Amino acid sequence: MPGFELFGENEKKQVQDVLDSGVLMRYGFDGMRNGHWKAKELEKALAERMQTGYVHLTSSGTSALTVALASAGVGAGDEVIMPTFTFVASFESILALGAVPVLVDVDDTLTLSPSAVQKALTDKTKVIMPVHMCGSMANLKALQEICKANAILLLEDACQAIGATYNGQAVGSIGDLGCLSFDYVKTITCGEGGALLTNKEAYYQNAHMYSDHGHDHIGSDRGAEAHPFLGYNYRISELNAAVGLAQVARLDDFLTIQERNYTTLREAIAPIDGIQFRTVPEGGAENYSFLNFFLPSEAKAAEAQNALSEAGIDGCFYWYNNNWHYYRKWEHLINKTALGRLPKDVLEALPDYNKSDFSASDHWVGRNLSCLIKLSWTESEVQARAKKMADVLGAIL
Ligand SMILES: *Cc1c(COP(=O)(O)O)cnc(C)c1O
């Protein structure tokens, strides 16, 4: 990944179809559009590929998460459990609805720890939101059991894991709701875009209305549509959907290339003492977008990242020090800094994250390196990279 590495003729043709008709809007303009309904076609293609009942596209992965939570009726005062290692979108989508993000430790899967989730439950917990980081998934069986026992919803953030499977099922299609992102650096990309997946028709109905100002989408006169509830504009455009349509057709090819490159790198460094690969839950298969491994200590992880980078191995991330992905650097959330006043419900209920103990997360994320797997590497580039990585890591361990 990212999918833009292999943009080709079909991406151009799909976009050209939209420009030729002049209709950039996913709804209406029936007579002008030359039969092109790119957003609808992409929703259908994704529903088939992800084996899910309903798909609704949105303007981004972040908005897909917001829409998913809204569709399930999440609002002021509700608590949503999310991991300490994720992307800022997780708490943004929760706060957007006036709900409270409850941060919880990750484990050796680099995703939500089910035992930590169990401890964080309160009578206000409405949703558990595992985030399938860097191409692999949370222990969904354990989380599903917790959800069932407590009548809580499971919302999978599969923005980084499209194509990964769990017991043969596409991740993102397993929980009550799931979300995907097609932003500029994801496995498949359309510039900006996201998708909500669900098997529950009621959530789907809420989602398409909520994402389009609450329009009920009944009849062909948009001006005459009713508004059953308040909504926003989280629509995707036909131009973005057109690119997505070309990209989703290539998802399986991308996964094959990623798996091959990942396997070459993994086999090269596996014999080195002191390297431990990330745990993939039983029944899971990654999408191979990142190769994740742990070093014996924080100091070694930082040293390894420097040494790899000095040796010209780009794209190996140390998320522990990253501003976007780990709670330690989310000073805006920690200090509750917003442009306006935060809702009272949120201010009162938001934990004081300055005082939280996430040492269990630090233990794993502090020792993790995460190496991006590219689509465009040639066979000889992958071989050379594998050898260099093994040499560099072997020398420090
Ligand atoms: C990319 C991403 C999102 C959504 O991001 P957008 O850029 O808004 O599409 C959400 N969660 C995770 C884990 C992500 O990586």
Side-chain angles (χ1 to χ4, degrees):
M1 76 159 196
F4 65 69
E5 290 182 88
L6 300 184
F7 273 165
E9 287 309 310
N10 198 27
E11 280 80 358
K12 290 182 199 165
K13 185 194 165 297
Q14 293 287 353
V15 171
Q16 195 63 50
D17 284 349
V18 176
L19 292 175
D20 287 345
S21 75
V23 179
L24 310 188
M25 165 66 159
R26 67 160 300 173
Y27 298 113
F29 301 92
D30 298 27
M32 282 172 63
R33 47 195 322 141
N34 298 335
H36 294 307
W37 298 90
K38 300 298 184 189
K40 268 190 206 165
E41 283 176 52
L42 178 53
E43 283 164 351
K44 187 159 170 274
L46 280 167
E48 272 166 28
R49 177 59 183 75
M50 306 298 290
Q51 306 154 284
T52 193
Y54 303 94
V55 174
H56 182 68
L57 292 170
T58 59
S59 52
S60 69
T62 309
S63 62
L65 291 167
T66 308
V67 173
L69 292 168
S71 302
V74 172
D78 293 331
E79 292 181 359
V80 179
I81 288 179
M82 57 164 275
T84 52
F85 176 49
T86 173
F87 178 53
V88 290
S90 306
F91 59 79
E92 289 168 354
S93 61
I94 299 164
L95 289 170
L97 294 163
V100 179
V102 175
L103 269 56
V104 163
D105 275 322
V106 298
D107 59 20
D108 57 345
T109 65
L110 292 171
T111 66
L112 269 185
S113 151
S115 58
V117 167
Q118 187 73 51
K119 286 190 202 120
L121 296 176
T122 72
D123 57 4
K124 292 191 175 143
T125 311
K126 190 137 183 193
V127 176
I128 297 174
M129 189 200 282
V131 183
H132 306 318
M133 286 298 280
C134 307
S136 183
M137 75 288 319
N139 182 340
L140 288 166
K141 183 165 174 276
L143 295 177
Q144 276 173 319
E145 279 164 12
I146 296 173
C147 285
K148 213 174 200 178
N150 297 280
I152 295 170
L153 298 174
L154 186 66
L155 163 55
E156 293 174 82
D157 178 341
C159 289
Q160 293 195 8
I162 188 169
T165 58
Y166 183 74
N167 294 328
Q169 226 178 317
V171 303
S173 71
I174 295 164
D176 300 280
L177 289 145
C179 290
L180 302 173
S181 164
F182 310 120
D183 83 15
Y184 44 92
V185 289
K186 294 300 204 272
T187 300
I188 62 173
T189 176
C190 68
E192 299 282 2
L196 168 154
L197 318 179
T198 185
N199 285 309
K200 293 219 172 98
E201 193 193 346
Y203 295 157
Y204 166 71
Q205 296 294 350
N206 287 344
H208 71 74
M209 291 188 261
Y210 185 79
S211 315
D212 184 26
H213 306 291
H215 278 300
D216 66 5
H217 298 144
I218 295 172
S220 56
D221 177 1
R222 276 185 63 79
E225 287 179 32
H227 305 109
F229 47 75
L230 294 168
Y232 290 94
N233 177 3
Y234 291 128
R235 292 186 309 253
I236 195 164
S237 88
E238 285 287 275
L239 283 173
N240 296 84
V243 179
L245 204 47
Q247 287 263 295
V248 75
R250 307 174 71 190
L251 175 60
D252 289 313
D253 290 343
F254 290 179
L255 296 175
T256 304
I257 298 170
Q258 283 178 180
E259 181 172 5
R260 194 181 62 216
N261 292 347
Y262 167 109
T263 305
T264 304
L265 299 186
R266 179 170 174 137
E267 283 174 358
I269 65 169
I272 302 170
D273 263 352
I275 287 192
Q276 178 192 349
F277 292 104
R278 161 217 212 141
T279 300
V280 176
E282 201 187 326
E286 301 181 60
N287 78 355
Y288 308 104
S289 51
F290 285 91
L291 175 63
N292 284 280
F293 52 93
F294 302 108
L295 284 295
S297 66
E298 255 178 51
K300 281 286 173 202
E303 188 187 344
Q305 195 220 8
N306 277 336
L308 287 167
S309 153
E310 268 166 29
I313 301 289
D314 57 347
C316 286
F317 299 98
Y318 185 46
W319 302 124
Y320 191 61
N321 282 340
N322 180 283
N323 285 358
W324 290 17
H325 291 287
Y326 197 49
Y327 80 93
R328 293 199 316 150
K329 299 288 181 78
W330 296 338
E331 73 284 348
H332 49 342
L333 176 70
I334 293 169
N335 298 326
K336 309 181 187 184
T337 314
L339 282 175
R341 203 156 10 120
L342 283 168
K344 209 159 157 260
D345 272 337
V346 174
L347 272 177
E348 280 170 8
L350 198 60
D352 184 353
Y353 288 123
N354 268 313
K355 299 204 177 103
S356 300
D357 174 11
F358 292 123
S359 50
S361 300
D362 293 342
H363 174 75
W364 294 108
V365 180
R367 296 185 300 114
N368 169 250
L369 284 193
S370 191
C371 296
L372 179 67
I373 304 297
K374 288 208 161 190
L375 294 166
S376 55
W377 288 333
T378 63
E379 179 59 24
S380 62
E381 279 171 336
V382 182
Q383 294 295 345
R385 174 172 286 257
K387 181 170 182 319
K388 221 183 233 181
M389 276 180 73
D391 288 347
V392 170
L393 294 171
I396 18 177
L397 290 174

